[in-house]
Amino acid sequence: MTGFDSFLVVDWSASAAPAPARPSKDAIWLGLVQGGTPQDPLYCRTRTEAEARIADIIAGERAAGRRLLVGFDFPFGYPIGTARRITGSDDPLALWDWLEARITDSDTGANNRFDVAEAMNARFDDPGPFWGKTHADRWPGIPYRKAGIDYTEIAEKRACDVAAKAASSCFQLCFPPTVGSQMLMGLPMLSRLRRQHGARAWPFDDWQDAPTVLAEIWPGLIESAVTSALGAGAPIRDAVQVTLLARALSRLPAADLNAMMTDLPQAAQQEAWILGTGHESTLNDLAGDDAPPAPPPLRDDCFAMPAGVDWTPVDDALATLRAGLHPVVRPAHCNVPDACGRILSAPAIARRANPPTPNSAVDGYGFAHDSLPPGDPVLPLVSGRAAAGVPYDGTVPPGHAIRILTGAAVPAGVDTVILEEDTRTGAGQLAFRAGIKRGANTRKAGEDVDAGAELLPKGRVLTPADLALLAATGLGVVEVFERLRVAVISTGDELIEAGGAANPGQIYDANRPMLLAQIRAWGLEAVDMGRIPDDRAALRAALDDAASRADVILTSGGASAGDEDHVSALLSEAGAMQQWRIALKPGRPLALGLWQGAPVFGLPGNPVAALVCTLIFARPALGLLAGAGWQEPQVFHVPAAFEKSKKPGRREYLRARIRDGRAEVFASEGSGRISGLSWAEGLVELPDAAATIQAGDPVRYYPFGSFAF
């Protein structure tokens, strides 16, 4: 299942009376981002009305084929031990059902939550753990204050409450801040949503493939964003909270959200967990008005070939990749000194001109050309000088000259500079030969770059020289794409780690270090997922982990259609797999698909074929996914230093290098000869059609460096 398409955030209430007809605080508010589009917040006066609206939204999103995450602002579970005391089971969902069978509610808001809480307290030997009530003389089994309650057997707060620094305990039923009563009135509703509408509860249920997932959230995680919005004049805090939190969740990359939902402590299986705990800064940034939206997910058919295609020509395969992919990373900000290798997410615009003012190109003397006397000039020198960073504070009178150094701003009254070596000075005067041209040895303001000019386009991979240009024009921060995260998985029972003792039939894993190094060389973030045996369950778990940690997954091995080709089998099970039979040598099988929204490139297991497929197919695709656009490698036409005759039908790539201006190829074309990869400095490309190459014939040569970002 891919990431979520829609996000609903619910601010719940335990009020004993309907909220006012006019939208107000302390009511029930729903914030919705539907299919990527934010909706106006919904106001509900009663829990009955809110539950009906939530059910309608769930049904509507399911009918539209959109996956929905529903967040509620009350705890989904109690501290460990509570459920067993009350139901006899550690299953928190059993307590949901127990509460649903006992809690009564009405359209007017009247309910029996204190009666039920008193019955729950009766399951414990000591007073509590529930406390707080509206009337000190009612429900004697509920202490009015917390004083005297012993939280030794059952903790007062859950692990996530402590981690999120939540102020209230789920045992507190009255007196702000409180969530205890909200919880008693909310958990029965969640039980009904599970039973009646097929929703699944995170993290208790098997939720990964569910079309509707219920999750616990807490608006306090985005307090700074909410405070900022309220300061801008937003009217109702509750409406702002649900709107901003739904927006923040919708802008999270699917892999990041999946990581938040899977990387949990053991206690979460009984106590639940507040989604986003530990990621407050990220959520606040994404909730802001200036936060960029998450890129749209890739389509499940982004790798689909036209019907009837069997053997796919290389150019057709590349065209399919180019048409089906788009950037999957979010824009970010980066300090210019740290930006080398980063990809611009927006054009870089000069903040000021370079040079910012007219300045001297040499050490010498400046004057106004129109004020020069006839013949060889002799000009009086003004006191002072102009130096770089120390401009002359004044105007040079006509017929006078001033000492000026390289890079210094040209003072007022000066338009020409003469080189020091072409002058004589003495007695406060300057002498030189006639004939100097107006404007000599000066640079005009903006003659390199004007203020406001576009320096570099969106998609540019920044070089060291680019950083100099950005800095010179006043830019300290640039807008870039976040680094594309690429996970690498090697598959096969036969693989062992390099350096270990190999048994008969075992080989060292050569692909993983090669691919990880290549990814890093391209300036991307490499995520090493290790070696996975030929075990489908283990590979499924590795793919799940990789999709939660990375934007793209590269696997090697298992991409064909044999009994142990688990990569292609699992992608087929996921319903988003294309088995490409590329008319290519080396590297015919290429499995492509989506795993939980992350594109997967199933490369051949042979190292030579794996590298060739990475360079020819994965490299341009990764550039597109990373925001750099589709980039063709630079090709050179050079004479061949070899002879070869090839049959029609497949494009061939030969390991090659340039010597004495000619392309020589590796002695063996065997795809198992890894030494040829180290020997080579590039690839010679032979066409799809039949070809006979004689020494001296022009061939297409791609240096490995031309595949760089």
Side-chain angles (χ1 to χ4, degrees):
M1 181 73 70
T2 59
F4 295 94
D5 304 296
S6 299
F7 298 83
L8 175 65
V9 172
V10 181
D11 181 12
W12 198 241
S13 171
S15 175
R22 182 184 180 89
S24 65
K25 65 178 183 177
D26 300 327
I28 298 176
W29 285 91
L30 313 182
L32 177 62
V33 175
Q34 189 174 53
T37 303
Q39 308 295 314
D40 291 336
L42 301 173
Y43 176 69
C44 301
R45 300 182 62 196
T46 67
R47 288 180 293 276
T48 303
E49 177 190 353
E51 183 173 343
R53 283 203 177 187
I54 293 167
D56 287 345
I57 291 171
I58 290 174
E61 294 304 286
R62 191 159 189 171
R66 291 187 291 260
R67 193 176 187 218
L68 174 67
L69 178 67
V70 190
F72 296 86
D73 71 334
F74 56 79
F76 276 26
Y78 290 94
I80 292 174
T82 307
R84 174 165 289 278
R85 271 286 188 170
I86 295 171
T87 69
S89 168
D90 289 324
D91 182 5
L93 295 177
L95 185 51
W96 287 19
D97 295 339
W98 189 93
L99 287 169
E100 187 201 355
R102 290 162 176 80
I103 289 286
T104 60
D105 202 359
S106 70
D107 291 342
T108 65
N111 62 82
N112 67 337
R113 67 181 186 275
F114 290 107
D115 299 300
V116 174
E118 187 175 40
M120 296 169 80
N121 268 353
R123 304 292 177 105
F124 293 84
D125 298 331
D126 299 320
F130 294 91
W131 66 274
K133 50 190 176 181
T134 55
H135 299 75
D137 58 346
R138 297 180 63 182
W139 307 290
I142 301 177
Y144 189 63
R145 299 291 185 187
K146 186 176 69 171
I149 299 178
D150 183 6
Y151 287 106
T152 302
E153 178 189 357
I154 304 293
E156 183 180 7
K157 292 186 177 182
R158 303 172 299 161
C160 62
D161 297 327
V162 175
K165 299 179 180 179
S168 179
S169 162
C170 54
F171 295 124
Q172 181 180 342
L173 304 177
C174 268
F175 318 120
T178 176
V179 295
S181 287
Q182 287 178 296
M183 191 174 178
L184 289 176
M185 301 310 300
L187 293 182
M189 171 195 57
L190 299 185
S191 181
R192 288 188 290 273
L193 292 178
R194 288 182 71 246
R195 187 180 70 256
Q196 298 172 7
H197 302 283
R200 291 294 172 260
W202 169 81
F204 304 141
D205 281 321
D206 183 8
W207 58 272
Q208 285 82 354
D209 294 325
T212 304
V213 178
L214 314 176
E216 177 183 342
I217 51 88
W218 181 43
L221 296 178
I222 59 165
E223 179 59 27
S224 63
V226 172
T227 301
S228 177
L230 290 170
I236 300 176
R237 183 182 187 87
D238 300 339
V240 172
Q241 287 179 331
V242 296
T243 300
L244 296 190
L245 191 48
R247 181 164 69 185
L249 292 172
S250 73
R251 290 172 169 178
L252 270 172
D256 291 353
L257 179 57
N258 189 66
M260 290 183 189
M261 298 180 73
T262 54
D263 186 15
L264 302 176
Q266 186 63 36
Q269 294 305 313
Q270 291 188 48
E271 294 185 337
W273 194 258
I274 299 170
L275 179 60
T277 299
H279 303 274
E280 291 85 348
S281 177
T282 297
L283 291 173
N284 274 285
D285 289 344
L286 296 177
D289 286 333
D290 58 347
L298 296 172
R299 295 174 56 90
D300 286 348
D301 62 352
C302 62
F303 296 121
M305 284 290 180
V309 172
D310 186 10
W311 285 97
T312 304
V314 171
D315 290 340
D316 291 355
L318 292 173
T320 298
L321 288 175
R322 186 171 188 174
L325 301 178
H326 59 70
V328 297
V329 284
R330 187 189 304 276
H333 293 91
C334 184
N335 294 328
V336 165
D338 302 322
C340 190
R342 301 300 294 271
I343 300 167
L344 287 178
S345 61
I349 306 300
R351 292 185 59 194
R352 74 172 190 176
N354 183 49
T357 61
N359 67 87
S360 176
V362 299
D363 289 346
Y365 296 88
F367 45 83
H369 192 274
D370 285 347
S371 68
L372 293 179
D376 293 336
V378 177
L379 304 178
L381 287 169
V382 300
S383 61
R385 68 173 190 173
V390 186
Y392 178 71
D393 186 15
T395 300
V396 178
H400 289 65
I402 187 173
R403 175 72 165 144
I404 189 167
L405 303 182
T406 303
V410 173
V414 171
D415 61 14
T416 305
V417 175
I418 188 167
L419 187 66
E420 181 176 4
E421 290 84 344
D422 295 336
T423 66
R424 291 276 190 270
T425 59
Q429 291 185 313
L430 173 75
F432 54 93
R433 296 284 186 184
I436 190 168
K437 294 181 179 180
R438 184 194 308 274
N441 299 312
T442 62
R443 306 184 185 106
K444 296 179 181 178
E447 71 174 22
D448 181 22
V449 176
D450 283 327
E454 180 176 316
L455 300 172
L456 300 166
K458 176 181 178 180
R460 170 83 172 194
V461 182
L462 295 174
T463 67
D466 292 337
L467 303 194
L469 176 60
L470 296 170
T473 53
L475 289 171
V477 176
V478 286
E479 296 179 57
V480 299
F481 286 107
E482 293 178 345
R483 289 191 191 276
L484 188 75
R485 300 168 298 178
V486 185
V488 176
I489 301 174
S490 286
T491 67
D493 288 335
E494 73 279 13
L495 298 179
I496 63 170
E497 200 72 16
N503 295 322
Q506 291 184 317
I507 60 174
Y508 295 113
D509 182 5
N511 285 349
R512 204 169 92 256
M514 173 182 68
L515 295 174
L516 289 168
Q518 184 63 78
I519 290 163
R520 295 187 189 104
W522 286 334
L524 309 178
E525 182 179 336
V527 182
D528 186 359
M529 303 303 300
R531 293 172 290 107
I532 307 300
D534 288 323
D535 178 272
R536 197 158 297 185
L539 181 57
R540 181 183 287 108
L543 288 171
D544 288 343
D545 190 17
S548 72
R549 298 168 57 188
D551 306 298
V552 187
I553 304 171
L554 299 186
T555 69
S556 61
S560 192
D563 293 342
E564 299 298 333
D565 289 320
H566 299 297
V567 172
S568 53
L570 285 173
L571 289 176
S572 294
E573 288 180 15
M577 199 280 284
Q578 296 293 325
Q579 181 73 50
W580 285 10
R581 300 173 69 198
I582 309 295
L584 172 75
K585 179 183 178 181
R588 282 179 290 182
L590 190 63
L592 298 105
L594 295 179
W595 190 269
Q596 296 182 10
V600 180
F601 289 79
L603 303 169
N606 183 292
V608 177
L611 182 61
V612 169
C613 286
T614 297
L615 297 178
I616 302 303
F617 299 109
R619 161 60 189 87
L622 293 177
L624 192 53
L625 294 165
W630 186 271
Q631 298 175 345
E632 303 282 353
Q634 187 174 12
V635 62
F636 297 88
H637 292 83
V638 298
F642 63 93
E643 296 182 356
K644 178 177 173 59
S645 178
K646 73 171 290 289
K647 297 178 181 179
R650 288 201 289 172
R651 186 170 302 183
E652 296 187 16
Y653 289 93
L654 309 178
R655 286 152 282 176
R657 65 186 186 186
I658 301 296
R659 291 295 182 269
D660 298 324
R662 303 200 306 169
E664 59 183 41
V665 297
F666 190 58
S668 171
E669 294 182 18
S671 57
R673 299 285 294 273
I674 303 176
S675 62
L677 290 177
S678 179
W679 174 92
E681 297 167 355
L683 299 173
V684 160
E685 179 187 74
L686 301 183
D688 301 348
T692 299
I693 309 297
Q694 301 291 334
D697 289 347
V699 292
R700 293 167 62 86
Y701 174 73
Y702 295 92
F704 285 145
S706 71
F707 294 98
F709 274 61

